[in-house]
Amino acid sequence: MPRNENPIEKTESLGHVVKVQQVIDFIVLSDLMNGGTRYHSEMEQHITKTLGGVGVNDAYFSQRLRALAEGGHVVRQWDGDNRYNRFYRITDAGEEYFKQLLRDLPERVNLAKKVYGLFDAHLAKYSKMSLK
C-alpha cells in the first residue's frame, strides 16, 4: 500500500516568495533611479521610512550593498578618508536589474500575501492553545 494515495500537488515553493534581499535591492535601486548618489545611511533611512519603521540590520544591509556593487548594479565610492562615508550610484546593469525586479516582484508579493494569509489562519487555530 502506498504511503500517500492522494498526494497534494505543489504549485509553488516557499523559496519563490519574496525574499528580504529582493525587498532591500528594490528599495535601494528605486531610490537610486531618481538620479544622483546616496550615502549608505540615507538609503538605510529611506528603507525604514518606506517600510513604516521596519529597518534593516546594518551588517546585512552592508552585505547587500556589497553584493549589488560586486554584481555591477551599483558603484560604491568613499567620500574622503572616512570609511563610513560610502556613497552609491546606480549603473546601467542596476537599472536592468531594477526593471527585472519590477516585472517579477508584484507576482511574488501577491503570493506572499496569500501564503501569509493562509499561515495566519493556520496560526489562529492554535493561538488559544495552552503553552504550559
Side-chain angles (χ1 to χ4, degrees):
M1 176 176 197
R3 287 182 174 222
N4 189 352
E5 294 179 9
N6 300 307
I8 297 172
E9 183 180 339
K10 182 174 22 175
T11 58
E12 293 285 350
S13 168
L14 280 174
H16 192 71
V17 176
V18 177
K19 295 175 174 65
V20 171
Q21 71 183 40
Q22 293 169 320
V23 172
I24 294 168
D25 291 358
F26 185 82
I27 294 173
V28 164
L29 294 174
S30 66
D31 192 25
L32 293 174
M33 286 289 288
N34 292 325
T37 59
R38 295 273 191 254
Y39 284 98
H40 177 279
S41 59
E42 290 176 314
M43 290 187 293
E44 191 172 10
Q45 287 293 298
H46 181 69
I47 290 170
T48 304
K49 181 180 177 186
T50 300
L51 299 179
V54 176
V56 179
N57 173 288
D58 190 53
Y60 186 72
F61 185 52
S62 293
Q63 175 190 0
R64 284 310 313 148
L65 290 173
R66 189 176 322 109
L68 286 169
E70 290 171 357
H73 303 298
V74 299
V75 173
R76 178 167 69 167
Q77 297 173 314
W78 279 261
D79 186 8
D81 291 336
N82 187 340
R83 70 183 184 117
Y84 295 105
N85 285 337
R86 296 167 289 191
F87 63 93
Y88 300 80
R89 67 176 169 76
I90 196 165
T91 64
D92 291 342
E95 289 183 18
E96 289 305 313
Y97 178 45
F98 172 77
K99 291 173 186 175
Q100 183 65 45
L101 288 171
L102 192 56
R103 285 188 291 269
D104 293 346
L105 284 177
E107 181 181 326
R108 288 180 174 215
V109 167
N110 286 333
L111 177 61
K113 288 177 183 177
K114 174 185 169 188
V115 167
Y116 283 118
L118 293 169
F119 181 70
D120 188 45
H122 184 73
L123 188 61
K125 290 180 189 179
Y126 298 93
S127 66
K128 294 187 178 24
M129 178 184 275
S130 174
L131 300 177
K132 292 181 181 182

